[in-house]
Amino acid sequence: MRYYTQLSEDEIRAICLCYPYKELITGFKKCSRDFSALMPGHRPQSISEENGRNLIANNPRSNLTAKMVEVLLSSWMPKIDGFVKEQIADGKETDYAYIVAFSDLGFPSFARIYFHLSGECFGDERISAIESGAAALSAEKERAKEQDVFVTTSKKIEELRRQKDGELKEKEQEIKKKGSEIKSLSRALSEEREKTAALLEENKQIE
């Protein structure tokens, strides 16, 4: 294995605890025999995100974890390399490109593992600065996402309020219309009663 064998158990656990859930379940299904060895009687798709991550994190030297971590790193490493090269080609600074890459990955602390595996000669202070920048950018994106959710929710509430106000006005108009109709019917009924009483009185006088 290209990447897994270079990792310490702490690095393996760190990766496992950030393993994307969709890829986690896919990996469990592909490695069904190794999965069953650790979770006999369970189906991969029945495992929650937390339990799935803990399963491989708590068994860092198992066949399942080895295969899962190797597959993930075989995807992440070239993806980061490609992104950084594109950013540099567009005139971005190298450190900035790495900050954005690790932030987009959703795993800022992967920076230290990445440089360990890639063999890039970055000093500890530089790696820490990149890691901190990626964490700050990730936090900013999360705040922006929460703000978008808040704005969207507020708009939906306002739209619902307007809709309910419109429905209420329609109901009020219907009630007013019905009230007017009832008043008209009441007047007509009173007039009919008066006419009937007058006719009865005339008949009595004739008799």
Side-chain angles (χ1 to χ4, degrees), residues 23-182:
E23 286 84 346
L24 189 71
I25 298 303
T26 299
F28 286 165
K29 289 179 179 178
K30 287 183 177 180
C31 304
S32 58
R33 184 174 298 177
D34 294 316
F35 173 80
S36 296
L38 296 178
M39 294 290 288
H42 289 76
R43 294 178 300 155
Q45 57 269 31
S46 68
I47 303 297
S48 68
E49 183 174 32
E50 182 180 2
N51 289 340
R53 287 174 171 176
N54 286 335
L55 175 65
I56 52 178
N58 293 334
N59 296 278
R61 294 305 178 187
S62 67
N63 289 334
L64 177 65
T65 302
K67 293 175 183 177
M68 297 279 288
V69 169
E70 188 66 26
V71 167
L72 189 64
L73 292 179
S74 295
S75 171
W76 278 1
M77 294 296 288
K79 187 181 295 184
I80 292 171
D81 290 342
F83 178 84
V84 170
K85 287 177 181 177
E86 288 178 4
Q87 292 292 300
I88 293 173
D90 288 340
K92 303 293 192 304
E93 293 184 357
T94 301
D95 289 12
Y96 171 81
Y98 277 119
I99 286 172
V100 176
F102 295 127
S103 173
D104 287 348
L105 192 65
F107 186 13
S109 59
F110 181 65
R112 196 164 297 277
I113 298 174
Y114 169 85
F115 289 116
H116 167 207
L117 294 174
S118 67
E120 293 279 352
C121 296
F122 279 39
D124 188 66
E125 289 186 6
R126 189 178 179 187
I127 293 174
S128 294
I130 291 172
E131 192 174 39
S132 297
L137 184 56
S138 293
E140 185 61 33
K141 288 179 180 178
E142 193 61 32
R143 282 193 293 271
K145 189 186 298 182
E146 290 174 356
Q147 181 64 26
D148 288 343
V149 170
F150 174 77
V151 171
T152 300
T153 302
S154 298
K155 286 181 179 179
K156 287 182 178 179
I157 292 173
E158 180 61 22
E159 289 174 3
L160 183 60
R161 185 189 66 77
R162 290 177 181 174
Q163 180 183 339
K164 293 300 180 183
D165 285 347
E167 293 175 357
L168 183 59
K169 288 179 181 178
E170 288 180 5
K171 293 293 183 183
E172 289 175 348
Q173 291 174 356
E174 288 180 9
I175 292 171
K176 288 180 181 179
K177 184 178 179 181
K178 293 294 183 182
S180 298
E181 292 176 356
I182 291 171

